[in-house]
Amino acid sequence: MNKGFTVWFTGSSGSGKSAISQLLGKKLKEWGRNVEILDGDVVRTNLCQGLDFRKQDQDIYAQRIAFVCKLLTRNGVAVISVAISPYQESRENARKEIGNFVEVYTKCPTEVCAQRDVEGMHQKALKGEIQDFPGASDPYEEPLKPDLVVETDKETAEESTNKIINKLIELGYLNPKGSVTHVYSSEEEDKIKERLSRLGYI
């Protein structure tokens, strides 16, 4: 069974998490992996109804996502979590809970995020229509030691995705394409060679 892992995206609304996660999911499927994308909006609708952007609710939201990620990860799934997850403590708790955890910070200036924000969340927060919105009317705590930073105002989604794939290879979650996977142990290889030698093939 493939080793499961969770790629945990964190970053402000409009920083490019969803676009990169879709591309990453597609590439991981090409790699032959079973993939589940836990997109923030979908999770908020189906798993976290009634929660808003207050810190207490954000912590509960992160706990619930981490729990689902843990179950999928331990069953060999490549999980992609897409949520703002603005607090360092909740991200660290998710890392401990899940185990095979790769934190990717989608770094992007607030003004660029606001320009990209098709739902207008930043503007609504600035107008006071949404309370405690991370990165606008409430702080967003930048990751202290993320496994990877992708700067989405300087990189294309393709470039950011390729950096994530390379990090997954570096961490041993993906085998480099074209690499040989050893099926037999060295003792088994010796026995096979001995048999082939006795039969005159080598």
Side-chain angles (χ1 to χ4, degrees), residues 2-145:
N2 285 319
K3 183 191 288 186
F5 59 86
T6 291
V7 175
W8 186 282
F9 282 99
T10 177
S12 295
S13 178
S15 63
K17 299 184 298 299
S18 293
I20 298 171
S21 70
Q22 291 299 322
L23 196 51
L24 178 62
K26 182 180 175 187
K27 285 181 180 281
L28 289 173
K29 286 177 182 174
E30 291 171 359
W31 223 273
R33 299 301 307 261
N34 290 329
V35 179
E36 286 293 341
I37 299 176
L38 301 178
D39 186 82
D41 290 338
V42 176
V43 171
R44 193 170 287 281
T45 301
N46 294 289
L47 192 64
C48 299
Q49 280 185 336
L51 299 180
D52 60 25
F53 293 103
R54 292 176 298 176
K55 183 179 186 308
Q56 183 181 358
D57 284 359
Q58 290 279 6
D59 288 342
I60 296 170
Y61 181 80
Q63 286 172 12
R64 290 181 182 176
I65 295 178
F67 178 73
V68 176
C69 289
K70 179 181 74 172
L71 298 181
L72 292 169
T73 294
R74 76 183 185 194
N75 283 287
V77 178
V79 188
I80 302 171
S81 168
V82 188
I84 298 172
S85 54
Y87 301 110
Q88 181 69 30
E89 184 180 9
S90 63
R91 293 191 298 264
E92 285 305 313
N93 288 338
R95 181 184 292 277
K96 291 174 189 169
E97 172 92 5
I98 297 166
N100 295 343
F101 182 93
V102 183
E103 185 180 44
V104 176
Y105 174 30
T106 52
K107 186 175 183 181
C108 187
T110 302
E111 57 272 19
V112 177
C113 291
Q115 289 169 6
R116 291 175 178 170
D117 186 5
V118 292
E119 297 178 50
M121 302 291 275
H122 284 268
Q123 290 301 320
K124 289 178 182 176
L126 291 173
K127 290 177 183 175
E129 297 172 13
I130 301 175
Q131 299 297 316
D132 309 312
F133 189 70
S137 55
D138 205 52
Y140 171 83
E141 296 176 359
E142 289 195 5
L144 299 176
K145 293 181 181 176

